[in-house]
Amino acid sequence: MNLSEISARLTDLLDLTEAPVAITFDATERAVDSRPSPQPAGCCFWEPAQQTRITTQAVDHAHCSVGSYTHGFIPLATAASGEDTAALVSSGWVGEADLLAAPAVPFVPTSITYEPLTESISPDVVLVRLSSTSLMTLMGAVPGLALTGKPQCAIVPLAQAGTISVSPGCAVSRTRTNLPADAMTCAIPASDLQEVLDRLKASTTADRVVSEFAADDLARNFAHA
């Protein structure tokens, strides 16, 4: 399947209400787009990228030191010395050990492109916005996926390294992106998309069978309770 078909199948099988987003590091297929509007963090590009291609550079992530680190733009020491990081640490929200444990892209990208999966050519990571029901569906297909905490952007380097990762968000990212209370974000390695679809097809079929059984059982035995 091409990426448009994959996007449609992901949307159908996970009952998504938002379009999947592709992330590509150092995309070379097309010219760099015009400069994006300033944003407080890299995660703020995720939602607009459902509709349009956005090519970012280090300066576009610079307002968030932790996000700049997880995306490979700056080293840990530079991120740790940022005023915004100091505010996070002094509040008790994260500690030094948390910073040391945070995953990061293992190279310094020249650019990061965010765009609808349907328009991507060779993505590295795919983001999907999940509900609790779609998370249930995905976990049925991929029971070994990683559930991560803060920062939310950690799912990007984890997926870049090959791990399907879900985050319920973090207080900083939720505030900056106005993420709905019932939404969370999953990052899938693009190389795993076909396998994930195959597993989803099998698991959703099983879900449908047991749901029909449960509905029939409810109607037969408890309809007049």
Side-chain angles (χ1 to χ4, degrees):
M1 289 188 287
N2 61 40
L3 290 175
S4 291
E5 293 171 328
I6 286 174
S7 182
R9 291 295 290 151
L10 272 177
T11 299
D12 178 55
L13 290 167
L14 290 174
D15 196 23
L16 303 179
T17 59
E18 314 256 359
V21 168
I23 298 179
T24 307
F25 293 91
D26 296 328
T28 58
E29 296 91 347
R30 289 163 289 191
V32 173
D33 303 327
S34 59
R35 302 296 309 127
S37 300
Q39 297 289 345
C43 56
C44 296
F45 294 112
W46 297 356
E47 184 170 7
Q50 294 172 12
Q51 306 296 329
T52 187
R53 183 183 308 124
I54 304 169
T55 298
T56 65
Q57 298 173 353
V59 65
D60 303 305
H61 295 248
H63 191 73
C64 178
S65 295
V66 172
S68 292
Y69 167 66
T70 61
H71 285 63
F73 285 120
I74 61 175
L76 179 59
T78 302
S81 65
E83 290 184 8
D84 56 336
T85 305
L88 301 180
V89 173
S90 65
S91 71
W93 191 70
V94 293
E96 292 184 4
D98 298 309
L99 295 177
L100 290 171
V105 173
F107 56 88
V108 181
T110 301
S111 66
I112 301 177
T113 299
Y114 305 88
E115 62 189 329
L117 178 59
T118 55
E119 297 181 13
S120 183
I121 294 177
S122 183
D124 297 299
V125 173
V126 174
L127 299 177
V128 291
R129 181 172 288 185
L130 302 176
S131 66
S132 56
T133 302
S134 54
L135 175 59
M136 175 200 72
T137 301
L138 182 62
M139 290 184 71
V142 190
L145 60 78
L147 181 64
T148 69
K150 48 195 173 187
Q152 179 176 222
C153 56
I155 62 176
V156 174
L158 286 172
Q160 188 275 331
T163 299
I164 299 173
S165 307
V166 175
S167 173
C170 65
V172 174
S173 180
R174 280 190 169 274
T175 299
R176 285 172 165 169
T177 63
N178 197 28
L179 188 68
D182 60 348
M184 59 199 81
T185 308
C186 175
I188 304 171
S191 59
D192 289 352
L193 284 172
Q194 186 61 63
E195 181 181 0
V196 169
L197 286 177
D198 292 341
R199 292 186 177 187
L200 279 170
K201 183 177 180 181
S203 67
T204 53
T205 298
D207 279 350
R208 184 169 60 253
V209 170
V210 298
S211 293
E212 290 172 354
F213 163 79
D216 290 342
D217 179 68
L218 187 64
R220 183 171 56 253
N221 295 306
F222 298 94
H224 304 294

